[in-house]
Amino acid sequence: MASETAAPSAPPPDTGTHTREPTSLQELRRLESSLRGLTDEEAEARLADIGENTLPEARTPSWARLFVRGLRDPFTTVLLCLGLVSATVTAWGTAGVILSLVVVSCVLRATGEHRADRSMAALRDLVAATATVLRRPDGDRPPTEREIPSAELVPGDVIRLAPGDLVPADVRLLRASGLTVHQAALTGESEPVAKYALDVPGPPGAGPFGQPYLCFQGSSVASGGATALVLRTGARTRFARAQTRPARRGASAFDRSVHGISWVLIRFMLLTPPLVLMANVALRGRGLETLPFAVAVAVGLTPEMLPVIVTTCLARGASLLARGHGVIVKRLPALHDLGAIDVLCLDKTGTLTQDRPVVERALDADGNDAPDVLHWAATGAWWTLQLADLPEPDVLDEALLDAAEGAGESHEGVAALPFDPVRRLATAVVRGSLGTHTLVVKGAPEDVLERCALDPAERERLLTRAAHEAEDGLRLLAVATADRPVRIAPYTPADERGLTFRGFVTFRDALAPTAAQALRDLAAHGVAVRILTGDHSGTAARACRDLGLDPGDVRTARATDDLTATVVARCTPEDKARIVTALRTAGHTVGFLGDGVNDVPALHAADVGIAPRDAVDVARESADVVLAHKDLTAIDHAVTAGRHSSGNIATYLRVTLSSNLGNVAAMLAAGLLLPFLPMFPAQVLAQNLCFDAAQLAFAHDRPAAGVLARPTVLRPRDFLRFITWFGALNAIADLATFGVLALTLYGPDTLEDETVFHSAWFIENLLTQALVMLLLRSGRSIAEGRGPVGRAAAVLAGVGLLLPLTPLGTLLGMIALPLKYYLLLSAVLALYAIALWAGRAGYERRWGEGRQSPRPGQP
């Protein structure tokens, strides 16, 4: 025989099938417990053996780990390699600057993500702080109720549950009275679920959450009370296991887009140094002395500031969101993904609605408005609350009392029979006319009508009407009354017979105040909303219609693979993750808003997982973005902020890549035509530094309204087309400058004057780059050149004009040029500006400005 302190046998694995569930008595025997609970000695032994009833804590990466993680960015890796190559060939200046950019980028990214992790740590709280447990000092003494930390619960404990309590573990009901629980965090159901202690399984296919005798950690008691046996604690609960089986997310939209562009450019960069070396050896007889120049050319093609610009844009957007709208971006690239989403999936409860019902109408038997039906229903709710010793009204009673304020006070209460989830009724008895008591009965239509004095045809007609209202997304209470002679004997459920049917009261979900406008704003921004809910399809469709969102043909999760359905009802956690994954596979960038354990697989499967601050811990930890409140308006702000950051990143890439490609093409051509290197490595580096510093202004730019009106995805094919088009224009402008120098200003002998050539090209390059910054901004005209980008372009042009006149210019090997050169250069730049403007107009007509939104099914 096992000793009293031996640990119980391990609970059987929960496979989700409940065909042969043990009875409550069998569970007590297996856990070596009883209705009197455990002794202190038994509980202590089990706690030492099994461990505390706490959830596994998510580990927050250290700042150092986040820093190292930043090196995995492909451009950062390439810059690091170029810096090391530069150091190898003793180009210390180039190496120092490049490695500094790598460090700055990684520091900015690690600091932003570390700050978000610290903000998240401040939001964590316990699932349930304390629990009421029955414990005995020893085996001979009677049990006493104690309030203990929920962490000290062990399998075999017997606990008490009361209204408002959080269920602290997975439990089996031993006794229950009028018990209903909220388990929306686990299943997504908005209505409380009735639970009772009968050893009768739920309907086939109901799963563990559909078993009436089981309650799970993460749910809360809505009404009634119960005594329950603890089955599983800690990491063994279904609540805890939800965070150990996440769906694996593929590459996010940010990863796909930036990495796609990065690797295309990396191929060019890796090919450039060998080509430069081979061309110089073959045509000019130069050897390894051109290696620093070849590395400088590769650096010139590289958007060196991309990691810094990306991190600065995203960190700045995340900081503004946190300060202005209470939105915490835990993973910086998620801000770009927010701007890229074209489908937002969410549950109805708590997002479109407030998770509380309001009275819609009161109807008589013929469907006409009947204020007296509402009066009787509110009277029953008032006196049930007063006389049944309930701590607070349930949500339907609260809605009745709000709609008919003061109705119950016009009667004198006598007795009450509270709601019972088995008979699904509540009855209040009030004083009626002289010598009579009036029973006011309200509850589920089927159960009320069964107790009314109606012929079968009339009862069937009323049930059909009730079903029609339910299909329209409304919840119903049937109301009936009966007059009985005054008596002293207590009233029982047996008195609920021979009732007179009064009518129905219908309820709809109270809409979130900002939901309708937020849905319109999201639609205006090109974001399609999909409702994935565990609720009844009619309830979800009704909420959508009330908010102005066409639900279309509502589908159920088990019966559809249609990705165009606006509302998918009766979704399990696996269904939500499956639909999100299918949408991503079809080419959409998907955001998912969820707050319960049932939402965790979908949060992991989406490009962007979004959770409110008051979500369950595991959902909040799984999300990429955390909202201060479960408000769609905050998501719209976050989407706009994401597009703001992504628009600036896209503009930077277009400007720098087209300019760099043109410069490198011209530099390679010049290197083959000239008897000397077209630029010293130090001059190339100085030019790049000036251009890169000016482009930091893009992190603070304000994109045009057209950029914010559509999802922003950085598509490699679009960028290659753009930079090829405008890079060619830039190269032509550079070669035109050569023509001015050779044929107009100094004559053919100018090509023998290395200092003049370097000085002229340095000035022209910086001035053309300033023009590109102004003219290739997304959706902007040159008249909109004010702001940070306009000021940065002006400074860049000033540096280009003045640097050759300074001692630093002399150190870099440049000299002052005559006024005639600047006049001729002005003509070249004017022609270049006109060509840029015409080229941009032609590009927009042919391909459309910033066609960055992917079509479904395309990368």
Side-chain angles (χ1 to χ4, degrees):
M1 180 176 177
S3 66
E4 286 189 271
T5 59
S9 59
D14 189 350
T15 62
T17 59
H18 293 264
T19 54
R20 293 185 179 179
E21 278 293 304
T23 65
S24 57
L25 182 58
Q26 289 171 330
E27 290 281 26
L28 284 167
R29 288 175 177 169
R30 179 180 64 80
L31 293 171
E32 299 177 12
S33 183
S34 70
L35 294 175
R36 302 169 65 204
L38 300 175
T39 65
D40 291 337
E41 184 180 0
E42 289 171 333
E44 289 174 5
R46 295 184 185 188
L47 186 63
D49 181 60
I50 296 174
E52 291 190 340
N53 178 35
T54 56
L55 296 176
E57 291 188 7
R59 293 184 178 179
T60 301
S62 65
W63 188 92
R65 182 181 293 272
L66 292 172
F67 179 89
V68 174
R69 187 184 296 172
L71 294 174
R72 294 185 299 184
D73 178 87
F75 262 121
T76 304
T77 303
V78 169
L79 283 176
L80 184 61
C81 293
L82 287 175
L84 295 176
V85 170
S86 300
T88 301
V89 298
T90 67
W92 302 112
T94 303
V97 172
I98 293 175
L99 295 177
S100 296
L101 290 175
V102 170
V103 172
V104 168
S105 172
C106 292
V107 166
L108 286 174
R109 178 170 294 186
T111 301
E113 295 189 3
H114 187 62
R115 186 183 299 116
D117 286 337
R118 286 188 303 173
S119 299
M120 280 302 304
L123 299 178
R124 298 187 183 106
D125 50 19
L126 293 176
V127 175
T130 62
T132 303
V133 65
L134 293 180
R135 289 273 179 86
R136 295 172 287 155
D138 54 53
D140 298 327
R141 296 194 185 183
T144 58
E145 288 190 4
R146 305 181 194 173
E147 196 79 10
I148 66 170
S150 61
E152 297 179 8
L153 286 178
V154 294
D157 265 327
V158 175
I159 63 172
R160 305 283 198 201
L161 297 174
D165 285 351
L166 295 172
V167 179
D170 291 354
V171 301
R172 171 81 180 236
L173 298 179
L174 301 176
R175 298 190 184 97
S177 175
L179 181 68
T180 62
V181 299
H182 287 291
Q183 52 185 34
L186 301 166
T187 65
E189 296 173 285
S190 59
E191 300 180 24
V193 178
K195 298 286 185 176
Y196 42 88
L198 300 178
D199 290 330
V200 178
F209 297 115
Q211 304 310 311
Y213 44 76
L214 295 177
C215 295
F216 298 91
Q217 185 183 55
S219 55
S220 60
V221 178
S223 63
T227 300
L229 173 68
V230 174
L231 300 179
R232 299 176 183 86
T233 59
R236 300 170 184 82
T237 64
R238 290 188 66 87
F239 188 89
R241 289 207 306 276
Q243 58 189 312
T244 62
R245 297 182 295 179
R248 296 298 300 171
R249 173 195 287 147
S252 69
F254 179 83
D255 297 330
R256 294 193 301 268
S257 57
V258 172
H259 287 194
I261 295 170
S262 298
W263 287 113
V264 169
L265 293 173
I266 286 167
R267 294 185 185 101
F268 281 110
M269 290 160 49
L270 295 177
L271 287 173
T272 299
L275 288 176
V276 172
L277 288 173
M278 288 188 294
N280 277 275
V281 168
L283 299 177
R284 291 294 176 180
R286 306 182 189 119
L288 290 178
E289 67 270 15
T290 61
L291 181 57
F293 173 71
V295 172
V297 171
V299 172
L301 183 62
T302 308
E304 302 99 322
M305 297 299 291
L306 178 61
V308 177
I309 292 286
V310 167
T311 305
T312 303
C313 285
L314 297 180
R316 183 171 180 269
S319 177
L320 293 174
L321 274 177
R323 292 200 306 267
H325 304 288
V327 178
I328 298 173
V329 180
K330 296 169 54 183
R331 184 177 60 86
L332 284 183
L335 185 60
H336 167 272
D337 294 343
L338 274 169
I341 63 172
D342 58 345
V343 176
L344 175 64
C345 298
L346 47 87
D347 199 343
K348 167 189 70 68
T349 306
T351 307
L352 304 181
T353 64
Q354 298 184 50
D355 200 16
R356 66 177 182 86
V358 294
V359 172
E360 174 77 1
R361 295 178 65 193
L363 311 172
D364 62 16
D366 296 321
N368 301 314
D369 289 333
D372 65 306
V373 175
L374 177 61
H375 170 84
W376 282 116
T379 298
W382 172 262
W383 285 110
T384 301
L385 178 65
Q386 299 300 316
L387 299 177
D389 196 25
L390 299 178
E392 59 184 18
D394 69 18
V395 290
L396 294 184
D397 283 353
E398 191 171 13
L400 289 170
L401 296 175
D402 288 342
E405 188 175 353
E409 300 174 9
S410 60
H411 298 272
E412 181 182 352
V414 175
L417 299 175
F419 178 82
D420 184 331
V422 176
R423 79 184 208 285
R424 301 198 301 171
L425 300 173
T427 298
V429 182
V430 299
R431 294 194 183 278
S433 57
L434 185 63
T436 63
H437 286 166
T438 300
L439 278 67
V440 183
V441 181
K442 58 181 176 59
E446 299 87 347
D447 297 273
V448 172
L449 290 171
E450 181 184 348
R451 291 162 172 79
C452 290
L454 299 169
D455 61 70
E458 178 65 7
R459 182 178 290 108
E460 188 61 31
R461 184 183 73 84
L462 293 173
L463 287 173
T464 302
R465 177 175 294 279
H468 175 74
E469 296 289 346
E471 289 173 0
D472 197 34
L474 297 174
R475 296 162 65 180
L476 276 81
L477 277 182
V479 182
T481 61
D483 289 331
R484 299 284 190 266
V486 172
R487 74 186 197 198
I488 299 176
Y491 286 89
T492 68
D495 294 300
E496 298 166 338
R497 293 287 184 272
L499 308 177
T500 301
F501 179 72
R502 292 283 186 172
F504 298 111
V505 179
T506 64
F507 302 82
R508 60 174 174 80
D509 288 331
L511 303 178
T514 60
Q517 183 60 48
L519 287 173
R520 289 192 291 271
D521 292 341
L522 288 168
H525 288 152
V527 179
V529 174
R530 300 282 187 269
I531 312 300
L532 310 181
T533 179
D535 266 350
H536 186 276
S537 57
T539 304
R542 178 60 182 250
C544 291
R545 286 194 297 269
D546 290 344
L547 290 168
L549 177 65
D550 183 8
D553 186 11
V554 179
R555 307 295 179 88
T556 57
R558 299 288 180 176
T560 184
D561 290 322
D562 183 7
L563 299 182
T564 65
T566 300
V567 178
V568 182
R570 297 303 188 193
C571 285
T572 65
E574 292 75 19
D575 291 328
K576 293 180 180 181
R578 174 179 58 81
I579 293 170
V580 168
T581 301
L583 286 167
R584 293 185 68 216
T585 302
H588 296 282
T589 303
V590 183
F592 184 87
L593 172 63
D595 62 354
V597 175
N598 62 313
D599 295 320
V600 170
L603 286 169
H604 279 278
D607 287 289
V608 190
I610 309 168
R613 178 178 177 174
D614 57 358
V616 298
D617 287 356
V618 61
R620 202 168 56 226
E621 296 292 344
S622 301
D624 303 303
V625 177
V626 177
L627 311 177
H629 307 287
K630 196 173 184 181
D631 186 351
L632 283 181
T633 302
I635 296 181
D636 184 63
H637 288 309
V639 167
T640 302
R643 292 183 183 177
H644 192 293
S645 299
S646 299
N648 287 341
I649 294 169
T651 300
Y652 162 76
L653 282 171
R654 279 196 293 270
V655 168
T656 193
L657 294 180
S658 59
S659 180
N660 288 358
L661 182 63
N663 288 342
V664 167
M667 193 177 296
L668 291 174
L672 299 178
L673 296 174
L674 297 174
F676 50 81
L677 291 177
M679 262 193 179
F680 293 139
Q683 293 170 339
V684 174
L685 179 61
Q687 176 184 289
N688 285 343
L689 282 176
C690 293
F691 191 32
D692 292 339
Q695 289 181 103
L696 283 173
F698 283 118
H700 303 274
D701 194 20
R702 188 173 190 83
V707 175
L708 304 179
R710 58 182 173 272
T712 304
V713 177
L714 311 176
R715 298 182 64 201
R717 187 179 303 171
D718 287 339
F719 273 97
L720 285 175
R721 182 189 299 126
F722 188 95
I723 65 177
T724 301
W725 182 287
F726 292 100
L729 282 178
N730 196 348
I732 292 171
D734 288 343
L735 294 173
T737 304
F738 303 160
V740 167
L741 288 169
L743 303 176
T744 307
L745 188 57
Y746 290 108
D749 291 341
T750 303
L751 297 181
E752 300 296 331
D753 192 331
E754 187 174 358
T755 305
V756 170
F757 186 90
H758 289 168
S759 303
W761 199 14
F762 184 91
I763 295 171
E764 183 268 345
N765 266 342
L766 290 188
L767 293 179
T768 55
Q769 287 169 338
L771 275 177
V772 167
M773 286 180 65
L774 289 176
L775 292 176
L776 294 188
R777 292 171 67 204
S778 298
R780 297 291 192 179
S781 67
I782 195 168
E784 300 174 282
R786 291 180 305 227
V789 173
R791 291 191 292 270
V795 171
L796 181 63
V799 169
L801 292 170
L802 299 177
L803 186 61
L805 308 178
T806 66
L808 180 58
T810 303
L811 289 175
L812 291 173
M814 293 184 288
I815 61 171
L817 298 175
L819 178 62
K820 187 177 179 181
Y821 166 74
Y822 294 102
L823 295 176
L824 292 171
L825 181 60
S826 298
V828 172
L829 292 176
L831 292 173
Y832 178 53
I834 293 171
L836 270 181
W837 189 257
R840 176 173 155 180
Y843 181 88
E844 291 175 3
R845 282 195 302 271
R846 184 166 183 180
W847 288 294
E849 168 64 26
R851 274 180 56 182
Q852 299 159 343
S853 301
R855 293 184 295 273
Q858 292 189 352

